[in-house]
């Protein structure tokens, strides 16, 4: 490792400390990142209209005021390492950062700039501190960088990072703590601005067996050609001994598709589904289930590999290459998000369309989920079926399952009044909590049998003009 750490450097370059930095140097070396100069990619104008950008700017603006007399640069980057913004009162530091191209519009991931604070934080999805000569590129040796990744508080997707940079000779004891505080405040502010949206549950790294046996009273639903085509493609790849990655939106049914294909390809196998953990829990999580890869009667689904730290993806790829008896299957939100180490061993990538592009699947899945919830057949009235088919399902099959289970627990014959307000409204802007309560009350009144818009206005104490305006404002689809 010392030889690699010194590759392309002058004599006397420091030994890299810690396994994360060592792994980052190895990746930087494999990427061909320059060691003697800073030469990042310039992408030009960056987007500034996202909730993440607005909230991050607000948080960093407040932090900058408390550091007014300190030579510290505060930066916001996107998930690919592109610098979105930079704030610093110290002119000398600003001029130096400009000469190093550590400025808005430039990319500073490990691939472009080698080991650096923000690149390591994004690669490992963990808070990172890189001091002076720990940087892979000598052009960054003058700096100490602390960076913390920021994830979407609702959906859990990596959005970017908060990065604090100062001179390498300065004390870095508080730098990482400040970056962690700023990242936490950004997530909290995003959740607050989301007006009551539920936070994404903390990933726990569950590993469990997938039960693929169909119950006699709940046979598998007959789904659309889009689903069957994707299923046949995965099954064909597995039969040929190829590793498969299934990509698509969250909740679209990626694991279900792989489970069905694995069950057909290897009907006697047990199937383990390993969901990614928090970055700090990754090592014990890998230790827990990777020995199963060496068993001939076990198939493994590594779900959400796009959330794995780079070092974990590299280790997993090595284990699969040297020990796996069966081809591993993985899921991710898109093909380009599969970590490079794993993408090299994934032979076939299949995309599953979101539920809104598979309208013929909606009622079949709804009846299936309803039957499983009630242990007997659940029917949907024409109005309820039409409502389900025309809703846009932002959280896909996972959301449909939840909605149907709640409705089926109220009745064996589901009507619009049994459905939650969220599916009776079209796409709209994010609502405040008060607006959400108002919308839900209007929907509840309109869903009652025989209730007209006029009658709902009377019940709610509104004029007819007001309730019609509210129906349009909230995108409420009135039952016919």
């Amino acid at each position: 490792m010392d030889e690699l750490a010194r590759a392309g450097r002058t004599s006397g370059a420091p030994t890299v400390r810690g396994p994360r930095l060592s792994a980052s140097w190895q990746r930087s070396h494999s990427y061909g990142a320059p060691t003697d100069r800073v030469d990042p990619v310039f992408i030009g104008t960056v987007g500034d209209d996202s909730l993440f950008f607005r909230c991050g700017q607000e948080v960093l603006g407040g932090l900058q005021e408390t550091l007014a007399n300190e030579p510290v640069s505060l930066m916001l980057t996107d998930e690919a390492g592109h610098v979105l913004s930079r704030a610093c009162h110290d002119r000398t530091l600003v001029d130096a950062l400009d000469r190093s191209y550590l400025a808005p519009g430039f990319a500073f991931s490990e691939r472009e700039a080698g080991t650096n604070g923000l690149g390591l934080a994004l690669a490992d999805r963990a808070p990172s501190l890189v001091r002076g000569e720990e940087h892979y590129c000598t052009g960054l040796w003058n700096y100490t960088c602390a960076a913390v990744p920021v994830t979407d508080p609702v959906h859990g997707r990596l959005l970017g990072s908060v990065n604090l940079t100062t001179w390498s000779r300065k004390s870095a004891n508080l730098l990482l703590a400040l970056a962690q505080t700023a990242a936490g405040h950004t997530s909290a502010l995003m959740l607050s601005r989301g007006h009551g949206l539920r936070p994404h549950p903390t990933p726990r790294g569950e590993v469990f067996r997938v039960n693929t046996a169909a119950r006699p009273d709940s046979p598998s639903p007959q789904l659309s050609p889009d689903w069957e085509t994707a299923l046949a493609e995965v099954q064909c790849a597995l039969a040929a001994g190829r590793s498969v990655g299934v990509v698509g939106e969250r909740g679209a049914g990626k694991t279900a598709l792989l489970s069905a294909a694995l069950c057909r390809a290897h009907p006697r196998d047990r199937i383990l589904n390993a969901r990614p953990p928090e970055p700090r829990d990754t090592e014990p999580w890998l230790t827990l289930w990777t020995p199963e890869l060496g068993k001939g009667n076990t198939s493994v689904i590594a779900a959400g590999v796009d959330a794995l730290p780079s070092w974990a993806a590299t280790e997993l790829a090595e284990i699969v290459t040297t020990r796996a008896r069966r081809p591993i299957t993985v899921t991710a939100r898109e093909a380009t998000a599969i970590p490079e180490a794993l993408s090299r061993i994934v032979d076939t990538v299949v995309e599953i369309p979101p539920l809104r592009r598979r309208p013929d699947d909606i009622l079949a899945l709804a009846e299936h989920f309803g039957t499983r919830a009630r242990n007997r057949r659940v029917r949907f009235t024409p109005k309820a079926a039409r409502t389900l088919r025309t809703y846009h399902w932002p959280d896909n099959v996972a959301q449909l399952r939840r909605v149907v289970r709640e409705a089926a627990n109220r009745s064996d014959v589901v009507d619009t009044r049994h459905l939650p307000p969220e599916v009776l409204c079209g796409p709209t802007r994010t609502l405040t909590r008060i607006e959400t309560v108002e919308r839900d009350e209007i929907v509840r009144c309109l869903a009652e049998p025989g209730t007209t818009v006029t009658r709902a206005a009377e019940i709610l104490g509104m004029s007819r003009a007001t309730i019609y305006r509210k129906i349009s404002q909230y995108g409420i689809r009135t039952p016919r």
Side-chain angles (χ1 to χ4, degrees):
M1 184 63 228
D2 286 349
E3 292 181 2
L4 176 62
R6 292 177 172 84
R9 301 297 189 84
T10 58
S11 60
T15 300
V16 179
R17 65 173 177 85
R20 286 185 59 209
L21 279 170
S22 297
S24 177
W25 273 48
Q26 285 183 318
R27 292 194 298 270
S28 302
H29 181 71
S30 67
Y31 294 149
T35 61
D36 57 350
R37 68 189 188 283
V38 182
D39 189 22
V41 175
F42 180 67
I43 63 167
T45 305
V46 295
D48 59 358
D49 57 347
S50 69
L51 181 62
F52 163 62
F53 182 87
R54 296 195 302 271
C55 292
Q57 283 291 88
E58 187 170 333
V59 170
L60 293 186
L63 181 58
Q64 184 187 19
E65 294 307 313
T66 68
L67 298 172
N69 298 320
E70 297 294 329
V72 177
S73 173
L74 297 87
M75 304 180 207
L76 206 62
T77 81
D78 67 10
E79 74 280 6
H82 302 131
V83 179
L84 301 177
S85 69
R86 186 187 69 189
C88 180
H89 287 308
D90 189 281
R91 190 68 251 174
T92 303
L93 179 58
V94 169
D95 291 342
L97 292 174
D98 284 343
R99 290 192 295 271
S100 301
Y101 304 105
L102 196 48
F106 287 92
F108 264 80
S109 71
E110 288 180 336
R111 185 178 296 276
E112 285 86 17
T115 301
N116 67 88
L118 70 89
L120 181 58
L122 294 172
D124 281 359
R125 286 167 166 75
S128 302
L129 180 67
V130 179
R131 300 181 176 94
E133 296 181 359
E134 292 170 348
H135 288 92
Y136 186 79
C137 176
T138 58
L140 298 175
W141 280 9
N142 288 329
Y143 309 113
T144 291
C145 302
V148 179
V150 179
T151 57
D152 188 310
V154 176
H155 301 294
R157 184 172 63 86
L158 180 67
L159 299 175
S161 73
V162 169
N163 177 37
L164 272 62
T165 298
T166 188
W167 299 113
S168 58
R169 63 180 180 270
K170 290 287 183 178
S171 172
N173 293 336
L174 293 178
L175 206 64
L176 186 58
L178 286 173
Q180 288 178 296
T181 299
H185 287 175
T186 299
S187 290
L189 187 58
M190 288 178 65
L191 190 61
S192 173
R193 296 282 169 83
H195 302 300
L197 293 175
R198 288 176 292 185
H200 178 71
T202 301
R204 295 179 296 175
E206 300 101 332
V207 180
F208 56 91
R209 182 174 178 177
V210 178
N211 180 17
T212 57
R215 289 164 34 177
D217 58 341
S218 181
S220 298
Q222 295 297 312
L223 297 180
S224 65
D226 284 341
W227 174 273
E228 293 298 334
T229 298
L231 179 60
E233 190 175 352
V234 173
Q235 187 179 348
C236 181
L238 292 173
R242 298 197 296 268
S243 297
V244 179
V246 175
V247 299
E249 293 181 6
R250 185 169 68 102
K254 300 184 291 292
T255 299
L257 183 74
L258 279 174
S259 300
L262 285 167
C263 191
R264 292 184 185 182
H266 309 293
R268 297 191 177 184
D269 272 16
R270 61 185 188 133
I271 302 172
L272 297 183
N273 179 28
R275 292 178 177 172
E278 284 192 284
R280 66 172 180 267
D281 298 327
T282 303
E283 188 169 355
W285 174 80
L286 281 172
T287 304
L288 176 66
W289 65 268
T290 48
E292 301 295 328
L293 290 168
K295 298 179 180 179
N297 65 336
T298 300
S299 295
V300 172
I301 301 171
V305 293
D306 48 317
L308 288 178
S310 293
W311 70 265
T314 301
E315 184 172 332
L316 177 57
E318 183 176 352
I319 293 170
V320 169
T321 303
T322 58
R323 294 171 49 187
R325 299 278 298 277
R326 292 237 190 264
I328 193 171
T329 59
V330 304
T331 72
R333 68 180 186 276
E334 55 189 28
T336 56
I338 299 175
E340 184 173 358
L342 288 171
S343 67
R344 288 197 292 264
I345 63 172
V346 172
D347 304 306
T348 301
V349 176
V350 177
E351 182 176 5
I352 178 172
L355 188 58
R356 62 182 174 275
R357 287 169 43 195
R358 295 152 38 207
D360 292 341
D361 287 346
I362 293 174
L363 191 57
L365 287 170
E367 291 175 344
H368 175 69
F369 295 145
T371 299
R372 289 182 66 90
R374 296 285 286 188
N375 288 317
R376 55 181 180 267
R377 187 186 177 199
V378 172
R379 296 188 300 108
F380 294 81
T381 65
K383 286 191 297 184
R386 184 167 58 250
T387 297
L388 294 177
R389 279 197 301 267
T390 57
Y391 184 60
H392 60 291
W393 299 110
D395 289 331
N396 290 292
V397 179
Q399 184 184 14
L400 175 63
R401 182 189 297 113
R402 173 178 57 78
V403 165
V404 169
R405 283 178 176 173
E406 293 175 2
N409 285 332
R410 300 175 63 187
S411 176
D412 287 345
V413 179
V414 175
D415 195 10
T416 51
R417 69 180 183 276
H418 301 124
L419 298 173
E422 64 190 271
V423 303
L424 296 171
C425 300
T428 185
R429 63 176 175 81
T430 303
L431 304 180
T432 66
R433 293 181 181 179
I434 293 176
E435 287 173 328
T436 301
V437 171
E438 183 179 59
R439 180 204 66 182
D440 291 356
E441 279 300 297
I442 294 173
V443 169
R444 182 187 62 78
C445 285
L446 292 173
E448 289 297 323
T451 301
T452 63
V453 174
T454 301
R455 176 58 182 154
E458 293 173 357
I459 294 172
L460 296 170
M462 297 179 179
S463 68
R464 289 179 70 246
T466 298
I467 197 168
Y468 274 116
R469 178 170 54 81
K470 297 289 185 182
I471 288 171
S472 175
Q473 173 186 338
Y474 297 139
I476 299 171
R477 296 192 296 271
T478 55
R480 300 298 180 188

